[in-house]
């Protein structure tokens, strides 16, 4: 992760598939960010920049849910999501409206 706004974001993220073929996003054991706000949401994105469109949403973002703990985390990717188009993971803090970090998917 590339840290943003002094959140202390570290670690790596990668895509995977379980034995039943479900796709997931995994954060490694070194993952950490500022979690005290309780509103850090994980997004897949087509860029390193969070660009919300409050009126229409953004087809270039896919919300996966909140992150609550440091260390290894798994996020199920909804079936039918076109994960190939996503290049980044973004940590977005909704309570203050700023990114806490991003990671390029490789």
């Amino acid at each position: 992760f590339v840290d943003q706004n002094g959140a202390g974001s570290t670690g790596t993220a990668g895509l995977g598939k379980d034995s039943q073929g479900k796709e997931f996003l995994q954060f490694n054991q070194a993952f950490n960010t500022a979690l005290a706000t309780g509103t850090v949401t994980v997004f897949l994105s087509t860029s390193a920049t969070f660009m919300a469109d409050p009126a229409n949403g953004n087809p270039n973002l896919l919300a996966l849910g909140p992150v609550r703990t440091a260390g290894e985390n798994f996020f199920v990717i909804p079936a039918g999501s076109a994960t190939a188009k996503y290049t980044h993971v973004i940590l977005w803090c909704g309570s203050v409206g700023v990114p806490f970090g991003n990671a390029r998917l490789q």
Side-chain angles (χ1 to χ4, degrees):
F1 277 90
V2 174
D3 182 44
Q4 293 177 280
N5 295 299
S9 299
T10 61
T12 62
L15 294 173
K17 226 176 237 196
D18 69 12
S19 60
Q20 284 95 35
K22 289 183 182 178
E23 287 187 292
F24 61 88
L25 174 70
Q26 177 184 8
F27 292 174
N28 73 345
Q29 286 289 338
F31 170 74
N32 202 1
T33 194
L35 297 169
T37 65
T39 61
V40 179
T41 302
V42 176
F43 288 86
L44 291 181
S45 176
T46 58
S47 75
T49 304
F50 184 91
M51 292 179 280
D53 178 352
N56 302 311
N58 184 335
N60 298 315
L61 290 172
L62 176 64
L64 296 182
V67 62
R68 305 216 187 277
T69 61
E72 191 172 45
N73 280 268
F74 294 91
F75 301 89
V76 175
I77 297 171
S81 300
T83 56
K85 76 176 185 176
Y86 299 110
T87 59
H88 289 80
V89 177
I90 294 176
L91 302 173
W92 181 259
C93 182
S95 64
V96 292
V98 298
F100 274 8
N102 69 77
R104 182 160 184 77
L105 291 170
Q106 298 182 3

